[in-house]
Amino acid sequence: MIKLKIDGKSIEVQSKKTIIEVADEVGIDIPRFCYHKKLTVAANCRMCLVQVKNIGKPLPACATQVMDGMEVSTKTKFTKEAQQSVMEFLLINHPLDCPICDQGGECELQDTAVAYGASESRYAEEKRVVVNKNIGPLISTDLTRCIQCTRCVRFLKEIGGVQELGLVGRGEHAEISAYVDKSVESELSGNIIDLCPVGALTSKPFRYKARTWELVRRPTISIHDSLGSNLEMHIKDDRVMRTLPKENDAINECWISDRDRFSYEGFYHNDRLLEPMIKKNKKWLKVDWEEALLFIAKNINRSIAHEGQDSVAFLHSPQSSIEESYLIHKIADKIGTQNVDYRITQKNFDFSGTWLGCEISEIETLDQVIILGSNMRFDQPLLTHRFRKMVHQGGKLIFINALEHDLLIPLEKKIICKSQEYRTQLIQMLRAVYEIEPKKIINQDILAFIKKQKLNADTLQWMKQFVKGKNKKAIFLGQNALEANDASDLVFLANCLAESVSGLFGSLSNYPNGVGLDLIAHKQELKSTKDMMAKKISSLITLNIEPKYDIRANINLTDLIQKINFKVAITPYSGDAFDDFDCLLPMAIYTESSGSYINIARKLQSIKAITSPKGQSRPAWKILRVLGNYLDLDDFDYDSSEQVLCKVIHPKKRLAYPPLAAKKFNNKEKPLKKDGRNEIHPILPEQSDMIVRRAISLHSKKNKPLINIRQEVL
Ligand code: SF4
Ligand code: FES
């Protein structure tokens, strides 16, 4: 620890910190443009100049480390003159077009000019003009406004993983540019809009839609991946106009993915279902809620009377809230059926638990990691960023996958194999551990099996360092591995491997509320979708699922759904996925409802409605509650989602999460079929759920959608 003074205030801080970091900690404001706490220091704008005692020239606070006995002044005449001069230089070429700039009202340049600049400009000569670049459908450029702080350049290189923007030219001719004919493709690209301290980079979908002071800001979370990134949605006239990150270092830091940022467009797609609908004589009819609910109750009761309780099934989305899942389970329970599941893309159900195995931020502290079967950049872009950070800090990443998927991370080793070979890969790793340090295989069940396996020389070679290193290790199974037919074997083997190297074991599941929904399902012995397939199901209620698109990776389940007689969808959207359904109930999207979600690191987050439900749509938990009443089931009188949540989560009781573990292991050696199909179903970020499939701007990116959704907006 060292002692120094800032503006006369004596403080004790750790050495190695910069003046700007220390000033931020003690609440002293130093103006800045190029400095950002999450990026490397460029020190090129010079806005943060401060005076240090006994040094004749002003020093940049962002690039000057504190020293013992240092005396820093941020408000003296000397500092003010330095800051004013820099401000004057920065404004020389700035167009000063604040009235027509989207950044107006939240512009760092505008605010800093008012606080630190002179009241008049002495510059009367011609200003330079920079031609705007088209860098894609999400980000608008007005490069004459750019002050060359290079925050955007550094973000894409350091956080995004690839330098898609650069500063070309020098002095008066310096300008920000993408590679010739290239747009910015990073799945985190929208963050440069927030980072740009001026209006040079603004949101294309939001452009000219509202002024910042007209917007009401409401907190919520994202349910498009398993992170639950914290968001702030900006609302005008009960409509979400844009989405920004809400800082939470434990989850998303100060970033969000483009999917989280621009998916709000999907809220207002023309496909929004605004009234209940029933099908009569093969024609869709708009009806009121009562008629629709009576229609459902009549048909469900008929199924039960003729074919028994087991003929009714429920499928809900992994995006469902805890409250929605609880109520759907309760309806099933009261009816007397166990046919309820949310694991719509899973084919093997002999394992439990969906969780990371550690805190999200802990990933950065790992030294050696093996990831098997994950299309991470598509599934969880911000989790991928944590692994990128880990590697930048010296960690080593070994990536085994069925898809040639560029993580934009320097890898220690990459193995591309068929998904059917994941099991063999894990067996070979365990065999290598046995060869290197036999005593490390603790699990006796696996020991005999492993001893019989042939040793692979290549695996032995690269596993040596992994086994012998005395550092922090981890094994993660990605969504692709969890969706494999032999997923329980993979969970069992990966668990044994982690145990043998004293490492962490976790899953990189992309189910948004997988942990929360597991918590509910774990309490009850429920049937899986595999069990349902073996039965005669005659009535099905789906919640927040577009079967044709959401379940396409699970062909058997899609076939089962097609054969069911009576189908009801509680859904925010209509569309061709529901052509063979009999009734559609309009549900509010998640920002129009309250609900609770548990992220992949077991963090519970509850959100409130931030806009009203569209048309006659209603929050799904309310629909399920009323459906319980119409089905004549008792104990469905909840007044709020909090009351429902209390049935699952008691504030004073610890939650009993199911462990991430396999229920059984098949120790028979399975011969690999040479022509075996690769079980990979990569889902591009803009296709992962109903909302993002309808977020038009996301679909204009170069990754063309596999599914074409009509591009219409309400
Ligand atoms: S475009 Fe914005 S973020 Fe990028 S260098 Fe210019 S001012 Fe900085
Ligand atoms: S913020 Fe220090 S030089 Fe730019």
Side-chain angles (χ1 to χ4, degrees):
M1 296 293 271
I2 55 165
K3 284 186 183 162
L4 75 150
K5 272 188 183 175
I6 298 192
D7 291 346
K9 211 182 207 177
S10 295
I11 41 176
E12 216 172 306
V13 292
Q14 282 172 352
S15 53
K16 294 213 172 150
K17 290 205 168 173
T18 57
I19 296 175
I20 210 164
E21 285 171 331
V22 173
D24 283 350
E25 273 173 28
V26 295
I28 291 173
D29 187 38
I30 297 179
R32 81 279 312 265
F33 291 118
C34 68
Y35 172 77
H36 190 276
K37 61 183 177 184
K38 298 281 180 189
L39 302 177
T40 52
V41 173
N44 58 8
C45 75
R46 300 280 141 172
M47 193 62 229
C48 64
L49 293 177
V50 290
Q51 186 178 11
V52 176
K53 195 176 173 189
N54 298 330
I55 296 192
K57 59 175 189 174
L59 295 180
C62 66
T64 310
Q65 264 190 20
V66 289
M67 284 191 291
D68 204 22
M70 200 179 224
E71 285 186 34
V72 182
S73 307
T74 70
K75 308 263 179 310
T76 56
K77 188 167 172 275
F78 178 79
T79 321
K80 277 193 175 163
E81 275 174 9
Q83 290 165 345
Q84 211 168 54
S85 308
V86 173
M87 197 67 236
E88 189 173 17
F89 264 116
L90 288 172
L91 292 180
I92 277 181
N93 272 319
H94 194 79
L96 303 178
D97 57 346
C98 305
I100 55 147
C101 177
D102 249 11
Q103 192 91 350
E106 56 181 10
C107 174
E108 288 177 51
L109 187 74
Q110 206 177 38
D111 295 346
T112 314
V114 171
Y116 298 91
S119 50
E120 266 172 40
S121 171
R122 291 179 288 166
Y123 188 78
E125 288 74 19
E126 256 179 39
K127 297 194 176 210
R128 75 166 193 163
V129 173
V130 180
V131 179
N132 294 334
K133 318 273 181 317
N134 183 3
I135 58 169
L138 304 178
I139 302 161
S140 195
T141 62
D142 287 277
L143 293 174
T144 307
R145 295 177 190 150
C146 171
I147 55 165
Q148 289 98 37
C149 71
T150 70
R151 276 188 190 179
C152 55
V153 177
R154 280 174 287 145
F155 173 85
L156 289 167
K157 186 172 174 216
E158 294 160 19
I159 312 289
V162 63
Q163 188 171 346
E164 294 184 284
L165 290 179
L167 187 67
V168 295
R170 301 186 62 183
E172 170 89 355
H173 304 288
E175 60 182 80
I176 291 296
S177 178
Y179 291 102
V180 182
D181 280 343
K182 280 250 183 180
S183 53
V184 174
E185 293 294 320
S186 166
E187 55 285 342
L188 301 174
S189 69
N191 292 294
I192 61 177
I193 299 168
D194 306 336
L195 281 174
C196 184
V198 298
L201 304 174
T202 49
S203 163
K204 234 179 214 177
F206 174 68
R207 199 166 164 86
Y208 303 139
K209 295 265 168 43
R211 303 305 315 226
T212 56
W213 50 89
E214 298 172 317
L215 300 168
V216 178
R217 289 147 170 84
R218 293 273 179 268
T220 187
I221 61 164
S222 155
I223 58 158
H224 302 300
D225 63 27
S226 53
L227 247 66
S229 294
N230 288 200
L231 309 175
E232 191 177 84
M233 290 200 176
H234 292 190
I235 297 155
K236 184 183 170 189
D237 300 334
D238 205 25
R239 186 182 173 111
V240 176
M241 304 304 285
R242 65 173 177 179
T243 305
L244 267 64
K246 188 165 184 289
E247 192 164 345
N248 185 336
D249 249 12
I251 299 177
N252 52 304
E253 301 175 86
C254 51
W255 318 122
I256 50 172
S257 65
D258 287 354
R259 178 170 55 187
D260 293 345
R261 184 181 298 270
F262 297 104
S263 56
Y264 72 89
E265 282 190 313
F267 302 171
Y268 307 106
H269 192 275
N270 228 15
D271 275 355
R272 270 304 289 271
L273 180 66
L274 303 176
E275 283 141 326
M277 297 182 84
I278 57 174
K279 204 189 266 166
K280 275 197 179 155
N281 302 325
K282 298 193 179 163
K283 284 215 169 105
W284 282 112
L285 299 177
K286 288 178 183 168
V287 292
D288 60 23
W289 273 99
E290 175 144 28
E291 190 174 345
L293 289 162
L294 285 171
F295 177 73
I296 298 168
K298 194 172 100 190
N299 280 285
I300 298 276
N301 286 333
R302 188 186 296 153
S303 267
I304 297 171
H306 289 117
E307 294 170 78
Q309 289 102 323
D310 241 12
S311 64
V312 184
F314 298 85
L315 283 180
H316 56 303
S317 151
Q319 282 184 318
S320 308
S321 67
I322 290 174
E323 294 83 348
E324 290 161 2
S325 183
Y326 173 78
L327 288 171
I328 217 163
H329 278 93
K330 187 164 178 176
I331 293 178
D333 191 41
K334 297 261 173 183
I335 284 179
T337 173
Q338 290 176 307
N339 300 324
V340 191
D341 209 345
Y342 79 92
R343 297 163 295 177
I344 49 177
T345 54
Q346 217 165 291
K347 285 161 236 129
N348 180 310
F349 301 90
D350 293 325
F351 67 93
S352 65
T354 307
W355 97 287
L356 190 59
C358 61
E359 294 292 326
I360 293 168
S361 55
E362 212 179 325
I363 291 175
E364 294 168 27
T365 66
L366 296 170
D367 299 296
Q368 295 193 85
V369 170
I370 297 176
I371 295 176
L372 186 129
S374 174
N375 303 319
M376 267 195 321
R377 255 183 72 208
F378 295 160
D379 293 346
Q380 299 107 337
L382 279 174
L383 212 51
T384 313
H385 152 63
R386 297 282 187 166
F387 285 105
R388 197 170 288 134
K389 240 174 157 180
M390 173 200 94
V391 171
H392 287 161
Q393 287 165 17
K396 298 202 175 355
L397 179 60
I398 295 154
F399 185 52
I400 305 169
N401 203 28
L403 182 77
E404 182 58 78
H405 177 63
D406 190 356
L407 296 179
L408 302 177
I409 302 176
L411 297 172
E412 177 73 1
K413 177 139 190 100
K414 176 156 85 173
I415 299 171
I416 302 295
C417 62
K418 278 189 178 173
S419 58
Q420 290 94 328
E421 291 166 28
Y422 289 160
R423 185 176 180 275
T424 315
Q425 291 287 345
L426 284 165
I427 291 171
Q428 280 167 3
M429 285 182 241
L430 277 160
R431 179 67 185 85
V433 175
Y434 179 71
E435 190 68 20
I436 300 161
E437 292 198 30
K439 285 192 186 145
K440 289 216 164 192
I441 311 271
I442 312 158
N443 189 316
Q444 294 304 311
D445 295 339
I446 196 75
L447 191 58
F449 174 75
I450 287 299
K451 276 186 196 171
K452 283 191 256 162
Q453 305 302 316
K454 252 194 160 151
L455 182 65
N456 179 302
D458 182 44
T459 313
L460 178 66
Q461 188 58 33
W462 65 260
M463 277 295 285
K464 269 183 191 153
Q465 197 190 356
F466 192 78
V467 177
K468 291 197 166 164
K470 293 261 177 287
N471 40 26
K472 230 173 147 183
K473 298 163 200 163
I475 325 284
F476 293 103
L477 290 184
Q479 184 68 21
N480 181 224
L482 300 171
E483 284 175 7
N485 280 317
D486 54 1
S488 58
D489 282 1
L490 304 183
V491 170
F492 180 83
L493 292 165
N495 215 341
C496 289
L497 182 63
E499 193 180 63
S500 69
V501 294
S502 311
L504 290 170
F505 172 47
S507 93
L508 302 177
S509 158
N510 66 359
Y511 284 161
N513 192 21
V515 178
L517 304 188
D518 267 354
L519 192 70
I520 296 166
H522 185 56
K523 288 187 183 159
Q524 314 175 28
E525 264 308 304
L526 292 159
K527 297 281 186 284
S528 67
T529 56
K530 203 171 169 184
D531 300 316
M532 288 182 209
M533 284 175 221
K535 293 191 195 156
K536 178 146 180 20
I537 306 288
S538 56
S539 294
L540 173 74
I541 297 183
T542 64
L543 176 74
N544 204 12
I545 295 174
E546 255 181 324
K548 192 171 170 184
Y549 303 125
D550 288 319
I551 313 181
R552 65 188 182 282
N554 197 346
I555 297 160
N556 296 338
L557 185 58
T558 319
D559 287 350
L560 169 88
I561 294 174
Q562 271 172 3
K563 285 181 206 144
I564 295 172
N565 277 342
F566 179 69
K567 285 177 280 200
V568 178
I570 303 172
T571 168
Y573 300 98
S574 58
D576 62 347
F578 303 108
D579 282 350
D580 62 344
F581 273 62
D582 302 280
C583 179
L584 303 181
L585 298 180
M587 72 175 261
I589 47 166
Y590 79 101
T591 50
E592 298 163 358
S593 171
S594 52
S596 307
Y597 304 82
I598 303 182
N599 79 356
I600 198 168
R602 292 180 173 170
K603 164 108 176 86
L604 171 73
Q605 304 189 92
S606 292
I607 53 169
K608 297 244 179 295
I610 56 170
T611 54
S612 351
K614 283 258 151 279
Q616 286 188 40
S617 64
R618 296 286 174 267
W621 73 267
K622 285 190 181 171
I623 299 174
L624 291 166
R625 186 200 64 185
V626 178
L627 183 62
N629 297 143
Y630 273 79
L631 287 169
D632 260 344
L633 308 173
D634 56 358
D635 198 15
F636 271 86
D637 300 319
Y638 299 103
D639 294 327
S640 67
S641 61
E642 287 81 7
Q643 270 183 10
V644 184
L645 184 67
C646 283
K647 296 282 170 193
V648 186
I649 294 170
H650 193 279
K652 289 195 181 140
K653 281 192 195 149
R654 266 177 80 90
L655 295 177
Y657 291 108
L660 176 58
K663 291 178 197 147
K664 59 180 179 191
F665 171 63
N666 173 12
N667 65 4
K668 302 258 175 339
E669 197 40 71
K670 292 195 278 181
L672 270 183
K673 286 188 205 154
K674 283 230 164 65
D675 57 347
R677 217 163 55 90
N678 213 358
E679 292 172 23
I680 45 171
H681 305 282
I683 309 281
L684 294 178
E686 58 273 24
Q687 294 170 23
S688 58
D689 60 59
M690 282 206 227
I691 297 173
V692 299
R693 281 199 283 273
R694 291 169 172 83
I696 293 160
S697 301
L698 285 174
H699 288 260
S700 324
K701 276 186 125 182
K702 278 221 173 120
N703 293 332
K704 280 287 167 231
L706 298 176
I707 297 163
N708 287 314
I709 294 285
R710 292 196 319 276
Q711 301 212 341
E712 294 167 26
V713 179
L714 281 179

